Amino acid sequence: MSASGWLWWWPATPVVYEAAQPGDAARLAEIHAGSFAHEWSEPEISNFLTDPTVFGIVARRANAFGTKSAIAFGLFRHLGDEAEVLTIAVDPRYRTRGHGRGVLDAAIRRLYRDRAEALFLEVDAENTPALALYRRLGFRQVGERKGYYARPDAPPATALVMRADLR
């Protein structure tokens, strides 16, 4: 029997979405580094998580040993009646399974509860999977920033500014 098949009978463990804690910063920095050319360090993420205007949502997957490891996360800033997505990142091993959407759904529920009226984000105009997700969730383009994202081996990319009305 292969090593990957020895727990074929073990039930799939659910993914839970919960508030990120400052102690999560090291793992979240790893996920971010695997997702973006400009990575955020552990201290940077820790600073965000201690900022009273910022909250994080972490997707955790339980394993057979009872631990829950972070596989995706998002950071969001909420001021007044507006909020913004600072980042959403998914561990490359867990992409295309809906975890980015789960993180964003959890954040939107919290923002709705906290009476935010709109959620903004910036996304690389060439990030087709993210654009499809955001449009499915009701985001629409409200602006554009040419040359916003620096890329090491290509011309700077355009950022689309998008908005979703929450009320």
Side-chain angles (χ1 to χ4, degrees):
M1 180 182 297
S2 73
S4 64
W6 73 275
L7 283 178
W8 60 269
W9 51 268
W10 194 267
T13 55
V15 173
V16 296
Y17 299 91
E18 56 191 23
Q21 303 300 320
D24 294 322
R27 176 65 182 129
L28 302 187
E30 289 175 14
I31 294 170
H32 199 272
S35 301
F36 297 101
H38 176 76
E39 58 196 66
W40 289 352
S41 68
E42 179 181 346
E44 287 173 308
I45 291 177
S46 183
N47 285 340
F48 277 123
L49 292 173
T50 58
D51 181 330
T53 66
V54 174
F55 69 94
I57 301 290
V58 178
R60 297 185 196 277
R61 184 173 175 269
N63 65 29
F65 305 105
T67 60
K68 294 190 295 183
S69 56
I71 60 172
F73 78 101
L75 296 176
F76 307 86
R77 177 173 282 129
H78 181 197
L79 288 166
D81 61 358
E82 293 184 349
E84 69 175 314
V85 175
L86 299 174
T87 193
I88 295 177
V90 179
D91 183 312
R93 296 171 296 175
Y94 295 95
R95 290 196 181 137
T96 71
R97 298 182 196 175
H99 303 307
R101 181 185 179 128
V103 166
L104 192 51
D105 282 343
I108 288 171
R109 283 192 301 277
R110 175 176 169 165
L111 291 166
Y112 185 82
R113 182 195 73 214
D114 292 346
R115 303 200 154 295
E117 292 188 14
L119 177 59
F120 291 87
L121 60 84
E122 294 160 346
V123 60
D124 186 325
E126 297 176 17
N127 188 341
T128 306
L131 284 168
L133 168 64
Y134 299 144
R135 288 185 176 125
R136 278 194 308 273
L137 292 174
F139 283 86
R140 68 185 189 289
Q141 184 179 338
V142 294
E144 183 176 284
R145 295 186 175 135
K146 293 189 184 296
Y148 186 76
Y149 293 115
R151 297 187 289 191
D153 300 328
T158 297
L160 302 181
V161 180
M162 302 185 82
R163 173 190 173 125
D165 294 321
L166 304 179
R167 294 276 166 201

